[in-house]
Amino acid sequence: MKLYFTFIKNFQEFLLAISIVILACLPASLVFVPNWFDGEKLTLLYALAHFSLFLVMLIRPLADIFRGVTWLRPLVILRKGMGVFSASIIVSFILSKLIVGSSGYFNSMVSADYWSFSNLAILAHLADISAMLLLITSNNLSKQLLGKMWKNIQRLSYVYFYGSGLYVFFILHDNFLLIYLVLVTLFTVLAWLRNHNFILQTNNPQTI
């Protein structure tokens, strides 16, 4: 078990480190060397972001439901690293737009079209803003400064997940996102039922 916790700690640090590298390099690369990023590479980046977010949203419900499975609960620690990794990719695309023209980007945010339900634009933009807020506040300093508000801001992960998931499924017709949405919704409801004693608890602990 000690080795397992060590692996989780090291993998968390790796995720945070790679997220910093992404934020430092990807926005400028998207602007100044766009030929590096063909449709396949962009699709891969978004797929990594969505899959990481899917794991973030799934881990805690699974740990709450299967409390006897002792190796699940420690994985909750990784939600921070995976969430930062996911948000770093999405925020990098936002930063690339700011590099190209920050005034134009901010002006578009106050336009009616930006918040339009046409082509579900509002879902995509709510997801983008949520990802940025989550990334900015995913640190101990923000947690101390924001106090009780910090947990409320972290609940924006649901806006990030469902906003981006629904947008990609309905507009880009990516069926993987439908699977992610169904699984997270199902296990989140089951976890809520378990936590409120609507589902009987069992005491059959399992070890690694």
Side-chain angles (χ1 to χ4, degrees):
M1 198 66 171
K2 182 179 179 181
L3 182 62
Y4 184 54
F5 276 104
T6 300
F7 167 77
I8 289 175
K9 179 183 177 182
N10 292 337
F11 190 55
Q12 175 96 295
E13 292 176 354
F14 169 77
L15 288 171
L16 294 174
I18 198 68
S19 299
I20 293 172
V21 173
I22 289 171
L23 287 167
C25 301
L26 183 56
S29 299
L30 288 167
V31 174
F32 298 112
V33 282
N35 56 302
W36 286 3
F37 302 94
D38 55 19
E40 186 175 337
K41 290 186 178 68
L42 291 175
T43 299
L44 176 60
L45 285 172
Y46 279 115
L48 287 172
H50 287 131
F51 181 67
S52 299
L53 180 59
F54 164 65
L55 294 179
V56 170
M57 303 301 295
L58 189 64
I59 287 173
R60 185 179 290 278
L62 287 177
D64 287 344
I65 295 168
F66 303 107
R67 297 177 188 178
V69 184
T70 56
W71 60 267
L72 269 175
R73 179 58 60 179
L75 291 178
V76 173
I77 299 170
L78 287 177
R79 294 175 76 245
K80 176 181 178 180
M82 289 187 292
V84 169
F85 174 75
S86 174
S88 68
I89 295 174
I90 301 302
V91 170
S92 290
F93 284 98
I94 299 174
L95 292 176
S96 69
K97 295 175 184 178
L98 293 176
I99 293 173
V100 171
S102 58
S103 60
Y105 182 77
F106 286 120
N107 286 337
S108 69
M109 291 182 69
V110 297
S111 67
D113 289 339
Y114 191 89
W115 303 106
S116 171
F117 282 95
S118 176
N119 293 323
L120 301 181
I122 188 172
L123 292 181
H125 295 141
L126 284 174
D128 287 348
I129 293 171
S130 298
M132 183 168 288
L133 290 173
L134 288 166
L135 183 63
I136 292 172
T137 58
S138 291
N139 54 75
N140 291 331
L141 178 60
S142 295
K143 191 173 184 178
Q144 293 173 357
L145 293 175
L146 293 170
K148 294 181 179 179
M149 280 296 297
W150 183 83
K151 184 172 287 188
N152 292 329
I153 292 174
Q154 293 303 301
R155 290 194 178 100
L156 287 173
S157 59
Y158 289 96
V159 178
Y160 177 27
F161 175 72
Y162 283 102
S164 61
L166 290 170
Y167 177 80
V168 173
F169 173 67
F170 283 111
I171 301 302
L172 302 181
H173 309 293
D174 187 338
N175 290 330
F176 276 109
L177 270 297
L178 178 60
I179 297 172
Y180 295 168
L181 290 165
V182 170
L183 287 177
V184 168
T185 302
L186 173 63
F187 283 107
T188 299
V189 171
L190 289 175
W192 185 89
L193 293 173
R194 175 68 184 272
N195 291 334
H196 290 79
N197 297 319
F198 288 103
I199 296 178
L200 293 177
Q201 300 182 18
T202 60
N203 295 311
N204 297 312
Q206 300 177 30
T207 57
I208 297 174

